[in-house]
Amino acid sequence: MEASKLPCSFAPFPSRPKCHFPISPARAPGHAAFRNYKHSSLISRNKSARGAIQNAAAAAAGLTTPVQALTEEEETSGNSIRRRFLEFYSARGHKILPSSSLVPDDPTVLLTIAGMLQFKPVFLGKVARQVPSATTSQRCVRTNDIENVGRTSRHHTFFEMLGNFSFGDYFKKEAIKWAWELSTVEYGLPADNLWISVYEDDEETYAIWHDEIGVPADRIKKMGEEDNFWTSGATGPCGPCSEIYYDFHPERGQHSAVDLNDDTRFIEFYNLVFMQFNKKDDGSLEPLKQKNIDTGMGLERMARILQKVPNNYETDLIFPIIEKVSELANVSYARADDSTKTKLKVIGDHMRAIVYLISDGVFPSNVGRGYVVRRLIRRAVRTGRLIDIRGDENGNLEGAFLPIVAEKVIDLSSEIDPDLKSRKSRILEELKREELRFVVTLERGEKLLDEMLDDALGKAKVNNADPFLSGKDAFLLYDTYGFPVEITMEVADERGVSIDMSCFDIEMENQRRQSQAAHNTVKLTVENGSELTENIPDTEFIGYDTLYSKAVIKGLLLSGKPVVEVSQGNEVEVLLDRTPFYAESGGQIGDRGVLKVNDTAVIEIADVQKSLGNIFVHKGVIKEGIVAVGREVEAAVDAKLRQRAKVHHTATHLLQAALKKVIGQETSQAGSLVAFERLRFDFNFHRQLLDHELTKIEDLINEWIGDATALQTKVMPIADAKSAGAIAMFGEKYGEEVRVVNVPGVSMELCGGTHVSNTSEIRGFMIISEQGISSGVRRIEAVAGDAFIEYVSERDNYMKQLCSTLKVKAEEVPARVGAIMEELRMVKTEVSAARAKTAVYKASVLANKAFHVGTTTQIRVVVELMDDTDADSLKCAAEHLVDVLQDPAAIILGSFPGEDKVSLVAAFSPSVVSMGIQAGKFIGPIAKMCGGGGGGRPNFAQAGGRKPENLSSALEKAKTDLVSVLSKKAS
């Protein structure tokens, strides 16, 4: 069969035709017979033809291995759907690009929430397109609809978005025809089951669907701006969109009242965005110079349709995970009730998001992306407890179950992210730590709930009212302690306490709105920068080979605005056609130096940044003369500072290699800073490094420095670099060609930074600190080269001063300091003992001030101020008074031991405690009056504060309250 006669979804196009449908007239899109095609016949035709067609294509490409025919199950698997989508658009000239990280290189969004995000700079015109069109399968995470996960058939936190993109190449007609061909021919969806939505004012799109594709008018819905006009924000690129819906129940008819948002009947699976306008500040629309296409097909949605299952969760993309969770819960998904199924779906969904986020370097914390992961983990754990998952599958009730489920996610990852399996041990360890830590938190929540219910019942009894728990308290348990509101309701009901759920719902809605505002908008704005890039070419960087060059000023910015000329004294940003200055990237800070315009002007450069793609922005101050666009300059980098940066950058590579050797290959970079005075390296690890580990790391690096190994740098395809074992730097984006920096036998990394030519140039390396900066992330700061010598020299001077002061040799300093510390400790002990003795003496005097409360029981009470007595001595005084006064006795003492300091103590004898009066609860409100807080045991409690001026009135209230409550209990 000739290539021109092949169905266009399989034709081996050497380049993409604008559009053609080489199929018989009876199957032309506008023909009635085409609209009557049945699902089974299309699948059958595709299956029977696919092997022969692909073999023909393979032969044309010079391949001899025959293509094996796929079964229907293989045809409709999630992996097959993904692969077929990418191959379909690849055959039409689209470049297949990898999914970008879930951590976007974009400050306007927290996580990657859409397939188009990696192309945002291209759509804005800030970066020149590398290819005219592309296709991807992008991993995405969204949490704005987290409460709908598991409850609806289609909501997820993690999903894959299949997309095809055009950067000024093709537009509506091709996008629509290929979308239809992909849906009806490649995937074999029956045309009768497909509905189309278009923007109500977009007649061009309507005409293509109706007149050229042949979709009947009654299956094309015109919808308003809210549904079918895409905007990136108040201003910026925008345009109409068109969506393809699958109809699960065509038997319900095609009347005008059909609602495409009816989830029981329809699912939107393909969205085509026609980015053709720029929205200006006044709301008016102007045509974009470059019209773009941005599409998205939900992989999970298409899998649901083709696999003929009732919801996305029961597809082969997610269901194996749910089956594993069911096994751990000892329940059958098929026989489970709706509530249990929902919980199983929640865990199955969340685990995909958790695993891929951790794999991309996002670790649990209380801020930003880390909080998203922590929240998902806590939701999964508490949901597991609701279906009685306790411990691991080995019968260990103290174990963790999330790592077991995560292993199933990793097993399914080979075609989503091949690198995931190499990070398996790190992911499982992090999950285990976080889950076990959270279980402790969850148990604290249970304890707090008991206290809240006791308090609610107590207040109800006093006020003769029905007991209830406030919605804010229920939300506090839910949000802070991760305590399921379902459990809160169940436990409260058992104890006869109702919950103000309306208030709880308000708190939830407030949180949801904040989440949506923070996480669910990709902001695109056409700025002055896009105009600038039309006139300013990318900067040619020549700084690997030289620190000096002549260049031409291509642009000047004053306060961010383009100007032609700038005079002495002004801060200016200079854009050159070429430069030896390194611009900040990969953790390495920008170079410093000077730009000279003959002998007439001098610009002192303090920083260099990349902006608007690959334009280097030299930031500095004009020290002399006037600078103008078009003038030639002499650009000279500060050689000493560059050398310090090179030394620290290579030392960073050696540090990562040493860490992997000493604490394990699973550790990975989580950030870095390469500065002139030091280096900083953040890495994923679960504990503090031990002293001997730090020493071993230092020794290894200094050994490598002493080996005087010559570095090798080479530019190669990224696939070759990865297969050679090169490590990618955290958070960096790479093109098809990458620069590899190799320290033979030690380290090989993808890196665009500057490096020494031989490790001997580093001269020496020393770690100056190691600390945790967030959960699961550690930070090492170190010095090398000149900074190392300066650091050691400075510490040597400190040692000399210390030796002079202590009048000992350097090697005797530790012993002498130890002796001084012991002497100091003994003196402190003696002073504390003397203070305690003084406090006890004062307490003996205060015992005479005790007064009696109660009629049936005479309780001895002391409430007194003890001036500047310190907290420990105050405690001794209270304990002495309880002993002296004997049971029953109640003691409240206060003091101001220092400036802006208050100490309080409450001590109650056993009889007082048995009356239901607890020292810990009593002292809290008193401490609040002094600007502090505290608590303790029922018989003894301590508290502090910051307002000594309120201490007298606080003690007076304590006396009044204590007398009041004791009078009731002892009368």
Side-chain angles (χ1 to χ4, degrees):
M1 186 182 290
E2 297 176 16
S4 62
K5 301 289 181 65
L6 296 173
C8 61
S9 52
F10 309 120
F13 294 117
S15 61
R16 187 186 65 255
K18 284 301 176 184
C19 185
H20 72 252
F21 283 83
I23 56 181
S24 68
R27 291 179 182 175
H31 198 282
F34 181 81
R35 295 194 295 269
N36 292 328
Y37 243 6
K38 296 303 179 187
H39 192 186
S40 59
S41 66
L42 279 166
I43 289 289
S44 175
R45 183 173 71 84
N46 281 349
K47 284 174 60 181
S48 62
R50 186 176 304 279
I53 292 167
Q54 290 186 335
N55 282 328
L63 303 176
T64 58
T65 304
V67 176
Q68 297 297 318
L70 299 176
T71 65
E72 182 169 349
E73 184 176 348
E74 290 170 330
E75 284 270 339
T76 61
S77 71
N79 286 338
S80 176
I81 295 168
R82 182 193 305 108
R83 189 164 53 249
R84 290 164 64 187
F85 183 97
L86 297 175
E87 289 174 352
F88 178 90
Y89 281 104
S90 175
R92 285 149 185 77
H94 293 62
K95 177 72 174 177
I96 299 177
L97 297 177
S99 171
S100 62
S101 168
L102 288 171
V103 180
D105 186 20
D106 186 331
T108 68
V109 288
L110 202 61
L111 295 166
T112 298
I113 60 174
M116 56 74 65
L117 198 59
Q118 66 171 301
F119 304 116
K120 175 178 169 180
V122 181
F123 287 140
L124 284 176
K126 290 185 174 182
V127 174
R129 70 180 192 180
Q130 302 299 310
V131 292
S133 55
T135 182
T136 65
S137 177
Q138 175 64 52
R139 301 186 299 276
C140 301
V141 168
R142 292 185 191 177
T143 59
N144 57 301
D145 289 323
I146 194 169
E147 296 302 325
N148 289 326
V149 170
R151 300 180 185 277
T152 71
S153 63
R154 59 183 175 82
H155 282 96
H156 301 289
T157 56
F158 176 90
F159 57 95
E160 285 186 78
M161 189 63 75
L162 306 173
N164 55 289
F165 307 90
S166 166
F167 314 114
D169 184 29
Y170 62 86
F171 201 47
K172 290 183 182 180
K173 183 177 290 189
E174 293 88 347
I176 290 171
K177 288 185 176 181
W178 286 330
W180 184 260
E181 183 188 357
L182 175 72
S183 302
T184 60
V185 180
E186 176 65 28
Y187 290 141
L189 300 183
D192 285 349
N193 288 64
L194 302 184
W195 288 64
I196 308 298
S197 71
V198 298
Y199 178 49
E200 58 191 358
D201 294 338
D202 188 4
E203 295 298 334
E204 180 187 5
T205 298
Y206 180 91
I208 296 171
W209 280 117
H210 182 259
D211 300 338
E212 298 190 38
I213 301 300
V215 179
D218 54 8
R219 289 215 310 277
I220 303 177
K221 284 281 188 180
K222 291 186 176 182
M223 302 176 79
E225 186 173 339
E226 184 177 346
D227 293 302
N228 278 70
F229 194 90
W230 180 85
T231 60
S232 60
T235 60
C238 59
C241 59
S242 181
E243 296 156 324
I244 308 178
Y245 291 77
Y246 186 82
D247 183 359
F248 291 104
H249 298 285
E251 73 277 3
R252 294 183 186 175
Q254 300 179 12
H255 50 83
S256 59
V258 166
D259 181 7
L260 293 181
N261 292 317
D262 178 2
D263 283 352
T264 66
R265 178 173 177 180
F266 297 101
I267 187 168
E268 177 227 321
F269 67 87
Y270 208 172
N271 183 24
L272 316 178
V273 176
F274 310 122
M275 208 179 292
Q276 64 187 96
F277 299 115
N278 175 47
K279 191 173 185 180
K280 300 168 70 174
D281 289 334
D282 61 4
S284 62
L285 302 178
E286 62 178 3
L288 286 174
K289 295 177 182 177
Q290 174 181 293
K291 293 181 172 61
N292 304 308
I293 291 291
D294 161 25
T295 80
M297 173 186 283
L299 175 60
E300 292 79 6
R301 298 185 182 197
M302 180 54 76
R304 173 192 173 188
I305 296 168
L306 292 181
Q307 294 173 20
K308 303 176 185 176
V309 291
N311 55 68
N312 296 1
Y313 298 94
E314 295 183 38
T315 66
D316 68 341
L317 295 164
I318 308 174
F319 196 63
I321 306 167
I322 292 175
E323 286 185 308
K324 188 63 185 179
V325 180
S326 301
E327 180 185 321
L328 293 171
N330 197 28
V331 298
S332 165
Y333 179 86
R335 292 193 293 272
D337 58 32
D338 288 344
S339 175
T340 301
K341 283 184 177 179
T342 296
K343 294 175 178 62
L344 293 170
K345 291 173 186 174
V346 167
I347 299 173
D349 167 86
H350 286 10
M351 286 308 301
R352 295 209 302 164
I354 291 163
V355 167
Y356 283 99
L357 281 167
I358 294 176
S359 176
D360 279 355
V362 182
F363 288 84
S365 70
N366 289 327
V367 294
R369 302 179 184 101
Y371 178 69
V372 173
V373 179
R374 174 158 286 168
R375 185 183 179 200
L376 290 170
I377 289 174
R378 292 185 168 190
R379 264 190 127 237
V381 172
R382 71 189 187 218
T383 304
R385 289 171 77 93
L386 287 175
I387 51 177
D388 290 329
I389 298 180
R390 294 288 194 278
D392 58 30
E393 60 185 349
N394 298 318
N396 177 15
L397 296 179
E398 301 300 320
F401 80 92
L402 294 188
I404 300 165
V405 184
E407 288 200 60
K408 177 57 68 175
V409 178
I410 294 168
D411 288 344
L412 298 171
S413 70
S414 58
E415 293 199 32
I416 306 173
D417 180 7
D419 295 329
L420 194 65
K421 291 186 178 180
S422 65
R423 303 170 188 140
K424 177 178 177 177
S425 60
R426 176 169 47 122
I427 294 168
L428 300 186
E429 286 177 13
E430 186 61 35
L431 278 172
K432 181 180 179 181
R433 273 195 306 275
E434 185 68 13
E435 179 180 348
L436 295 181
R437 188 160 43 213
F438 175 56
V439 167
V440 176
T441 302
L442 199 56
E443 288 169 353
R444 283 205 303 267
E446 291 171 341
K447 184 178 178 182
L448 181 58
L449 173 59
D450 283 339
E451 292 178 3
M452 288 178 173
L453 294 176
D454 286 342
D455 189 49
L457 290 166
K459 287 180 180 177
K461 190 173 182 181
V462 170
N463 299 322
N464 194 27
D466 293 332
F468 78 97
L469 188 67
S470 74
K472 286 192 174 183
D473 282 343
F475 184 76
L476 173 71
L477 286 165
Y478 172 83
D479 192 50
T480 303
Y481 293 90
F483 202 76
V485 70
E486 297 94 334
I487 293 182
T488 301
M489 294 169 67
E490 184 179 324
V491 175
D493 185 60
E494 288 173 357
R495 298 189 60 181
V497 178
S498 62
I499 300 177
D500 182 1
M501 289 305 297
S502 60
C503 179
F504 176 87
D505 291 339
I506 290 171
E507 295 292 328
M508 282 291 292
E509 183 59 28
N510 289 339
Q511 186 199 59
R512 187 178 294 111
R513 285 175 181 167
Q514 291 169 0
S515 175
Q516 287 176 331
H519 306 315
N520 200 39
T521 304
V522 180
K523 185 178 180 182
L524 295 179
T525 306
V526 175
E527 301 164 342
N528 291 336
S530 61
E531 298 172 10
L532 195 62
T533 55
E534 292 180 6
N535 304 312
I536 305 295
D538 284 350
T539 310
E540 179 190 359
F541 176 61
I542 55 175
Y544 292 134
D545 305 313
T546 182
L547 299 181
Y548 170 86
S549 75
K550 291 187 177 181
V552 175
I553 298 176
K554 291 293 185 178
L556 292 170
L557 298 173
L558 187 64
S559 300
K561 296 180 179 179
V563 292
V564 176
E565 187 177 89
V566 186
S567 59
Q568 180 176 335
N570 284 297
E571 292 185 358
V572 66
E573 295 176 335
V574 184
L575 313 180
L576 304 175
D577 63 337
R578 62 204 308 257
T579 183
F581 283 81
Y582 182 83
E584 182 176 323
S585 63
Q588 180 177 333
I589 65 173
D591 280 329
R592 296 178 188 169
V594 294
L595 300 178
K596 291 184 178 180
V597 183
N598 297 327
D599 294 325
T600 62
V602 176
I603 309 171
E604 191 174 281
I605 300 300
D607 188 21
V608 184
Q609 297 283 333
K610 280 186 185 179
S611 183
L612 307 174
N614 203 37
I615 295 175
F616 286 36
V617 181
H618 303 72
K619 300 183 178 185
V621 176
I622 301 178
K623 292 296 185 180
E624 299 175 22
I626 297 174
V627 179
V629 173
R631 296 294 300 273
E632 185 177 74
V633 299
E634 297 175 2
V637 175
D638 186 316
K640 288 185 177 180
L641 292 181
R642 166 66 80 82
Q643 181 64 17
R644 292 171 78 110
K646 287 164 64 176
V647 162
H648 279 143
H649 206 147
T650 305
T652 300
H653 286 212
L654 299 183
L655 174 56
Q656 174 154 238
L659 281 166
K660 287 181 175 292
K661 208 171 184 67
V662 174
I663 63 175
Q665 289 295 322
E666 69 277 3
T667 190
S668 63
Q669 182 177 345
S672 69
L673 172 68
V674 175
F676 305 129
E677 70 281 359
R678 74 189 196 286
L679 69 87
R680 188 179 73 208
F681 188 81
D682 300 340
F683 58 101
N684 300 307
F685 202 57
H686 60 279
R687 62 166 174 81
Q688 181 179 356
L689 267 63
L690 304 176
D691 287 344
H692 78 270
E693 291 172 326
L694 292 171
T695 301
K696 191 171 182 180
I697 289 166
E698 281 185 342
D699 290 346
L700 262 176
I701 294 171
N702 284 311
E703 181 183 327
W704 291 332
I705 292 169
D707 289 341
T709 303
L711 273 70
Q712 301 169 354
T713 58
K714 185 178 180 182
V715 176
M716 63 176 73
I718 189 167
D720 294 349
K722 286 187 174 181
S723 45
I727 298 172
M729 295 284 281
F730 175 83
E732 286 297 293
K733 296 179 72 175
Y734 299 98
E736 293 185 20
E737 295 281 316
V738 292
R739 183 170 180 260
V740 177
V741 177
N742 184 21
V743 184
V746 177
S747 164
M748 182 187 292
E749 296 191 20
L750 309 184
C751 183
T754 62
H755 289 270
V756 298
S757 57
N758 190 292
T759 58
S760 61
E761 294 178 44
I762 302 175
R763 294 190 286 172
F765 174 91
M766 180 178 285
I767 294 172
I768 58 178
S769 70
E770 189 275 337
Q771 61 183 335
I773 58 171
S774 65
S775 176
V777 181
R778 309 292 302 175
R779 171 173 290 171
I780 283 178
E781 294 200 6
V783 288
D786 285 350
F788 162 77
I789 293 171
E790 291 164 3
Y791 183 84
V792 172
S793 177
E794 188 177 31
R795 260 92 198 129
D796 185 55
N797 287 333
Y798 293 151
M799 178 59 77
K800 287 176 181 176
Q801 292 175 25
L802 198 57
C803 290
S804 175
T805 301
L806 298 176
K807 295 181 172 52
V808 295
K809 297 177 182 178
E811 60 269 24
E812 296 171 346
V813 167
R816 183 71 185 102
V817 171
I820 292 172
M821 293 298 292
E822 179 59 23
E823 290 172 13
L824 183 60
R825 187 190 65 78
M826 292 176 65
V827 170
K828 282 185 175 180
T829 300
E830 291 172 3
V831 171
S832 294
R835 285 177 176 169
K837 190 178 288 187
T838 302
V840 168
Y841 172 76
K842 290 181 179 179
S844 299
V845 175
L846 291 178
N848 297 323
K849 294 185 178 183
F851 58 93
H852 294 79
V853 176
T855 54
T856 58
T857 303
Q858 290 280 304
I859 303 170
R860 289 165 287 281
V861 178
V862 173
V863 181
E864 292 292 338
L865 173 66
M866 292 191 68
D867 299 329
D868 59 352
T869 304
D870 65 273
D872 288 340
S873 300
L874 199 67
K875 176 186 175 185
C876 292
E879 290 172 339
H880 177 74
L881 281 170
V882 169
D883 288 341
V884 169
L885 297 177
Q886 298 183 339
D887 195 16
I891 315 299
I892 304 290
L893 300 176
S895 68
F896 37 87
E899 187 177 354
D900 296 330
K901 283 187 178 180
V902 171
S903 288
L904 289 162
V905 64
F908 297 161
S909 68
S911 295
V912 174
V913 174
S914 67
M915 295 177 184
I917 307 170
Q918 297 186 9
K921 290 186 177 180
F922 186 86
I923 202 69
I926 307 305
K928 281 185 180 178
M929 293 180 63
C930 298
R937 303 186 306 274
N939 65 317
F940 191 89
Q942 286 181 286
R946 300 178 302 278
K947 297 179 179 179
E949 65 272 17
N950 295 346
L951 181 56
S952 295
S953 57
L955 288 174
E956 194 60 41
K957 177 170 173 52
K959 186 175 183 178
T960 302
D961 291 352
L962 191 58
V963 169
S964 174
V965 70
L966 288 175
S967 297
K968 291 178 183 177
K969 300 287 185 179
S971 297

